[in-house]
């Protein structure tokens, strides 16, 4: 930190009964009052350098022995005035980055210019400011911070703008050419002495050496400084984003602890509510300023940092434009997110949910619509004719293909990553007892089916939701399970689902069939049906030794051969897909009410069992045995 000394005489100022005086053989003839403090001084040394005091004294008549001058609006207070007074007496004063702004403003107020005397205080301060302060990094930062106490004076004198220009120019310059503080210089020497690997690791830190010091500025000065840095066009966007992260960590850390986020406490009145609102307003302005400074390039700020900003925006009730801007930026790099970052607290009084699910859904919808162009479609007059000509299975295939084409804007790998993140998010929010079923399903369905090669985590989330919401009726449970694709469950998940009493019966039947079909298609070893299963089928006039018939009760002549439940159909992927979709559509009404008092379901359900190969696999045998034994115990 640089400094400059002016004057050579020792300090002779002293206080007597709250009055400041200076030791002299000549009695004082001037009393100056500055913000409640009184100074008994002499006209000659003061008036010879202060044009303002000359004019005041000449305009007021000398009615008393000592002339009284009041300076109620003096900038800088008594400290700055005393430094100016000591300079007039030739007493040694020290200028530094900490007091140069107040001394400069005080000298300007007293009009201590060259017009009054050569080498006056305004000139001396200007020399020190230009030759020393603006050349040093830390000195410039400290000086710019001190302008906050005198914003209007600093702006009029050009101190603020010149400090900002100096900081921006140093940021755009190589660190080796900048006069840094002792800590920065030592850090640079340590980095040079490190080996090549360590030097490579610290290279990004060296490039962003300025971020921590600039983060000490207040938000208005910081905003202007960052605008000047960005306008230079030499700093990479990722360094700008890192600097913003450092600033947010400095001023928005633990924002939830500073702001009352409890819904009940927020509605209660308190004596310090005004001060709390003031703090919230300051933080809100700070956050919105940070959002406005974010570089436009993708990846300039990490997804985790953007989500933290969104959480803070939710807590501080920031403007909708700031929230939507954060949502848009998060969607561009959502594959980098973590599940914990997506758990945004819900602060809405109209919702009792723990997390803001609507905000996450907006992010997902924005992610899926990136660069999406309107889908091409045939003329409306022909569209109805074409649909009537298609079977339901073919129509479903077309819908999936169109969905894949519309979602091609985001890469397939990104969708796979986001799908895993969403399933992990569903696992967390499923425990919320106040989460509506519609919102859970909406989040799950935002991700297209082809982006989920495995439905294991989705099944776990559904199971957790069913346990947390035991009051769901049969229709709600069926609606929930429609988002689940049983073909994409692992063996372990199938075993769990087959014994899950909370699942609709139709889902259990599908799980058993798909697992058996998968094993049969791979040529797995089969065994004979157990006697209890044979007896169950015989009670419904079903002979397992005969080839399986169609799932419906209509004649097989009306059903294409590929759509029948047969081994040949199962081994053909195209026929299996269309058959399973047809079965899924027809079995929507199958639930617990379709069962007889003895636990045996409708004939159509057991025809689905007969559709399996005559010899079941070991897993199928084990699952049915477990279910049967459990029924007998009850």
């Amino acid at each position: 930190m640089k400094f400059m000394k002016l004057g050579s005489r020792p300090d002779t100022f002293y206080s007597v009964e709250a009055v400041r005086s200076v030791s002299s053989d000549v009695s004082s003839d001037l009393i100056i009052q500055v913000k409640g403090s009184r100074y008994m001084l002499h006209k000659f040394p003061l008036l010879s350098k202060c044009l303002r005091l000359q004019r005041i004294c000449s305009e007021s008549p000398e009615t008393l022995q000592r002339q009284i001058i009041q300076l109620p609006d003096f900038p800088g207070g008594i400290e700055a005035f005393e430094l100016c007074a000591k300079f007039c007496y030739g007493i040694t004063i020290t200028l530094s980055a900490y007091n140069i702004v107040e001394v400069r403003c005080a000298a300007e107020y007293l009009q201590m210019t060259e017009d009054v005397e050569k080498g006056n205080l305004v000139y001396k301060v200007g020399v020190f400011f230009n030759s020393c302060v603006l050349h040093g990094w830390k000195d410039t930062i400290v000086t710019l911070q001190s302008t906050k106490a005198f914003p209007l004076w600093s702006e009029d004198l050009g101190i603020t703008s010149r400090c900002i220009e100096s900081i921006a120019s140093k940021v755009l310059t190589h660190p080796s050419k900048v006069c840094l503080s002792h800590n920065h210089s030592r850090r640079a020497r340590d980095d040079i002495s490190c080996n090549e690997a360590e030097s490579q690791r610290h290279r990004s830190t060296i490039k962003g050496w300025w971020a921590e010091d600039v983060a000490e500025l207040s938000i208005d000065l910081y905003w202007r400084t960052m605008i000047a840095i960005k306008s230079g066009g030499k700093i990479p966007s990722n360094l700008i984003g890192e600097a913003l992260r450092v600033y947010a960590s400095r001023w928005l850390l633990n924002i939830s602890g500073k702001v009352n986020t409890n819904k009940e406490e927020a509605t209660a009145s308190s004596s310090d509510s005004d001060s709390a609102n003031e703090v919230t307003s300051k933080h809100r302005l700070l956050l919105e300023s940070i959002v406005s400074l974010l570089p436009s390039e993708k990846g300039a700020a990490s997804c985790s940092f953007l989500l933290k900003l969104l959480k803070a925006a939710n807590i501080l009730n920031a403007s909708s434009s700031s929230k939507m801007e954060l949502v848009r930026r998060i969607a561009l790099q959502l594959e980098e997110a973590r599940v914990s970052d997506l758990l945004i607290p819900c602060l809405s009084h109209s919702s009792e949910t723990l997390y803001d699910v609507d905000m996450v859904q907006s992010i997902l919808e924005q992610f899926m619509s990136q660069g999406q162009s309107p889908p091409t479609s045939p003329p409306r007059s022909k569209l109805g004719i074409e649909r009537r000509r298609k079977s339901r299975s073919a129509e479903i295939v077309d819908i999936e293909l169109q969905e894949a084409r519309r979602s091609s804007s985001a890469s397939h790998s990104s969708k796979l990553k986001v799908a895993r993140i969403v399933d992990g998010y569903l696992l967390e929010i499923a425990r919320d007892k106040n989460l509506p079923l519609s919102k859970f399903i909406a989040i799950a369905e935002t991700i297209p089916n082809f982006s989920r090669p495995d439905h294991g985590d989705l099944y776990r989330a559904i199971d957790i939701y069913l346990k947390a919401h035991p009051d769901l009726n049969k229709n709600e449970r069926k609606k929930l399970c429609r988002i689940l694709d049983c073909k994409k469950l692992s063996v372990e998940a199938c075993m769990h689902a087959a014994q899950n009493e909370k699942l609709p019966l139709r889902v259990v039947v599908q799980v058993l069939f798909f697992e058996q079909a998968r094993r049969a298609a791979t040529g797995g070893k089969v065994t004979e049906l157990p006697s209890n299963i044979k007896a169950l089928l015989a009670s419904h006039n079903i002979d397992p030794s005969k080839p399986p018939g169609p799932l419906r009760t209509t004649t097989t002549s009306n059903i294409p051969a590929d759509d029948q439940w047969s081994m040949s159909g199962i081994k053909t992927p195209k026929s299996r897909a269309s058959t399973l979709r047809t079965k899924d559509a027809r079995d929507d009404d199958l639930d617990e009410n379709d069962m007889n008092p003895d636990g045996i379901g409708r004939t159509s359900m057991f025809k689905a069992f007969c559709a399996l190969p005559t010899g079941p696999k070991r897993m199928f045998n084990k699952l049915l045995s477990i279910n049967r034994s459990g029924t007998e115990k009850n």
Side-chain angles (χ1 to χ4, degrees):
M1 187 69 66
K2 296 183 179 180
F3 61 92
M4 183 174 72
K5 291 184 177 293
L6 301 176
S8 57
R9 293 179 58 187
D11 188 358
T12 56
F13 272 69
Y14 64 95
S15 299
V16 177
E17 296 180 356
V19 177
R20 294 284 287 170
S21 303
V22 59
S23 299
S24 176
D25 296 334
V26 181
S27 61
S28 62
D29 55 359
L30 184 65
I31 298 176
I32 299 178
Q33 293 181 347
V34 180
K35 294 185 177 181
S37 298
R38 175 173 292 192
Y39 286 85
M40 299 183 65
L41 305 174
H42 303 82
K43 290 184 179 179
F44 175 75
L46 292 177
L47 270 58
S48 63
K49 291 182 172 60
C50 303
L51 182 59
R52 187 184 187 95
L53 296 182
Q54 289 182 18
R55 292 175 177 174
I56 294 175
C57 288
S58 62
E59 293 173 357
S60 58
E62 295 186 29
T63 57
L64 300 176
Q65 183 180 0
R66 295 187 180 94
Q67 192 169 2
I68 300 176
I69 298 177
Q70 294 185 356
L71 304 175
D73 56 346
F74 192 87
I78 58 176
E79 294 84 2
F81 174 78
E82 190 161 321
L83 286 173
C84 294
K86 288 180 178 179
F87 175 80
C88 294
Y89 280 95
I91 297 174
T92 302
I93 63 173
T94 302
L95 297 180
S96 68
Y98 290 99
N99 64 6
I100 188 173
V101 175
E102 63 181 29
V103 172
R104 177 66 179 86
C105 294
E108 186 68 23
Y109 179 88
L110 294 174
Q111 299 178 4
M112 303 173 70
T113 61
E114 295 296 286
D115 298 334
V116 183
E117 184 179 82
K118 295 295 182 181
N120 213 341
L121 185 57
V122 170
Y123 172 76
K124 297 285 187 180
V125 173
V127 171
F128 177 66
F129 179 70
N130 295 326
S131 61
C132 297
V133 173
L134 294 181
H135 281 241
W137 168 256
K138 194 66 177 178
D139 298 83
T140 310
I141 294 288
V142 172
T143 302
L144 182 59
Q145 282 179 304
S146 62
T147 61
K148 188 69 176 176
F150 318 97
L152 297 179
W153 283 93
S154 300
E155 290 290 347
D156 293 340
L157 297 175
I159 300 175
T160 305
S161 58
R162 294 192 64 188
C163 287
I164 291 175
E165 292 172 1
S166 176
I167 293 173
S169 65
K170 290 178 175 61
V171 170
L172 300 175
T173 306
H174 193 273
S176 61
K177 299 180 181 180
V178 180
C179 181
L180 302 177
S181 63
H182 173 71
N183 291 336
H184 283 108
S185 302
R186 182 175 60 186
R187 185 189 308 168
R189 290 195 300 269
D190 292 342
D191 290 335
I192 293 173
S193 63
C194 291
N195 55 35
E196 185 64 25
E198 290 295 319
S199 179
Q200 180 70 22
R201 185 171 65 87
H202 291 293
R203 187 168 298 172
S204 59
T205 305
I206 296 174
K207 290 181 179 179
W209 58 269
W210 47 272
E212 293 184 3
D213 287 336
V214 176
E216 297 297 325
L217 297 173
S218 59
I219 184 58
D220 52 344
L221 297 175
Y222 181 83
W223 190 88
R224 292 175 59 182
T225 303
M226 291 300 296
I227 290 295
I229 293 173
K230 291 174 65 177
S231 62
K234 295 182 180 180
I235 303 299
S237 59
N238 63 318
L239 291 184
I240 298 293
E242 176 61 19
L244 294 174
R245 186 198 65 79
V246 171
Y247 190 80
S249 300
R250 169 70 174 80
W251 297 100
L252 288 178
L253 187 64
N254 297 326
I255 188 65
S256 59
K258 298 178 182 179
V259 181
N260 191 0
T261 59
N262 188 279
K263 299 178 183 178
E264 296 179 358
E265 294 178 2
T267 57
S269 59
S270 59
S271 58
D272 56 348
S273 59
D274 293 338
S275 60
N277 291 334
E278 183 180 356
V279 172
T280 302
S281 299
K282 290 181 179 179
H283 284 95
R284 186 187 302 116
L285 174 62
L286 190 148
L287 182 137
E288 292 175 354
S289 300
I290 292 176
V291 173
S292 67
L293 290 171
L294 288 171
S296 58
E297 293 82 2
K298 176 183 177 181
S302 66
C303 189
S304 177
F305 170 53
L306 294 175
L307 282 166
K308 289 178 181 177
L309 288 180
L310 186 58
K311 286 183 181 180
N314 219 29
I315 293 173
L316 297 170
N317 194 23
S319 63
S320 58
S321 59
S322 297
K323 290 182 181 180
M324 289 302 101
E325 177 64 16
L326 288 172
V327 167
R328 185 188 67 82
R329 291 177 179 272
I330 293 169
L332 291 175
Q333 49 198 95
L334 185 57
E335 66 273 11
E336 304 171 7
R338 297 176 299 183
V339 174
S340 58
D341 295 328
L342 289 173
L343 299 177
I344 304 173
C346 180
L347 304 176
S348 174
H349 297 287
S350 60
S351 177
E352 297 295 331
T353 58
L354 295 176
Y355 305 111
D356 195 334
V357 180
D358 295 333
M359 188 70 72
V360 175
Q361 186 175 358
S362 299
I363 296 173
L364 292 172
E365 291 174 352
Q366 188 74 23
F367 169 78
M368 296 304 300
S369 63
Q370 292 173 19
Q372 187 179 100
S373 57
T376 57
S377 59
R380 183 171 296 182
S381 59
K382 297 181 180 180
L383 187 60
I385 300 174
E386 292 295 329
R387 284 184 175 175
R388 285 194 294 270
R389 290 178 180 176
K390 294 178 181 179
S391 66
R392 177 173 176 81
S393 299
E395 197 171 313
I396 294 175
V397 173
D398 287 346
I399 291 174
E400 290 185 353
L401 291 176
Q402 290 177 6
E403 183 183 24
R405 283 196 297 268
R406 287 197 301 269
S407 303
S408 61
S409 55
S411 66
H412 183 62
S413 60
S414 297
K415 285 188 172 62
L416 292 176
K417 293 177 182 178
V418 171
R420 288 194 291 269
I421 295 171
V422 170
D423 289 347
Y425 179 74
L426 291 172
L427 285 170
E428 294 296 330
I429 65 174
R431 297 177 173 87
D432 185 2
K433 296 181 180 180
N434 296 320
L435 179 66
L437 177 64
S438 58
K439 291 188 177 183
F440 183 89
I441 295 176
I443 292 291
E445 290 182 339
T446 307
I447 300 300
N449 189 46
F450 63 85
S451 296
R452 279 194 181 97
D454 179 17
H455 276 219
D457 288 340
L458 182 60
Y459 167 72
R460 289 174 56 204
I462 291 175
D463 182 51
I464 293 174
Y465 189 88
L466 289 173
K467 292 178 180 177
H469 302 78
D471 298 333
L472 292 179
N473 58 43
K474 62 179 181 181
N475 291 328
E476 290 174 333
R477 286 188 286 118
K478 288 196 300 183
K479 186 178 180 180
L480 173 63
C481 292
R482 284 195 184 102
I483 64 178
L484 185 66
D485 190 346
C486 299
K487 300 188 297 295
K488 296 183 179 181
L489 294 178
S490 64
V491 176
E492 292 78 9
C494 287
M495 292 180 64
H496 186 278
Q499 304 173 66
N500 194 339
E501 297 179 355
K502 297 183 180 297
L503 293 177
L505 190 58
R506 178 180 64 85
V507 177
V508 177
V509 171
Q510 284 184 332
V511 168
L512 293 173
F513 176 80
F514 289 135
E515 180 59 26
Q516 179 67 358
R518 178 167 51 190
R519 289 173 174 260
T522 57
K525 185 177 180 180
V526 299
T527 57
E528 192 67 22
L529 276 173
S531 58
N532 57 347
I533 298 298
K534 286 185 177 181
L536 190 62
L537 297 177
S539 64
H540 288 267
N541 299 322
I542 300 173
D543 187 358
S545 62
K546 294 182 180 181
L551 185 63
R552 298 177 66 180
T553 56
T554 56
T555 59
T556 57
S557 59
N558 295 331
I559 303 176
D562 289 342
D563 286 342
Q564 296 184 17
W565 294 96
S566 61
M567 277 302 298
S568 60
I570 290 173
K571 292 180 180 180
T572 306
K574 179 179 179 180
S575 63
R576 179 176 62 179
S578 61
T579 302
L580 297 183
R581 293 190 187 97
T582 306
K583 176 189 180 300
D584 185 63
R586 287 197 297 258
D587 283 353
D588 279 345
D589 295 329
L590 181 60
D591 54 48
E592 290 84 343
N593 292 338
D594 294 329
M595 299 185 65
N596 296 328
D598 58 355
I600 302 177
R602 296 188 308 178
T603 304
S604 60
M605 181 186 70
F606 287 101
K607 284 187 178 181
F609 281 98
C610 286
L612 303 175
T614 305
K617 304 297 177 293
R618 286 193 297 272
M619 177 200 164
F620 185 57
N621 186 3
K622 178 180 178 181
L623 292 175
L624 292 182
S625 299
I626 293 173
N627 290 340
R628 183 63 178 176
S629 61
T631 304
E632 292 175 355
K633 290 180 180 180
N634 294 332

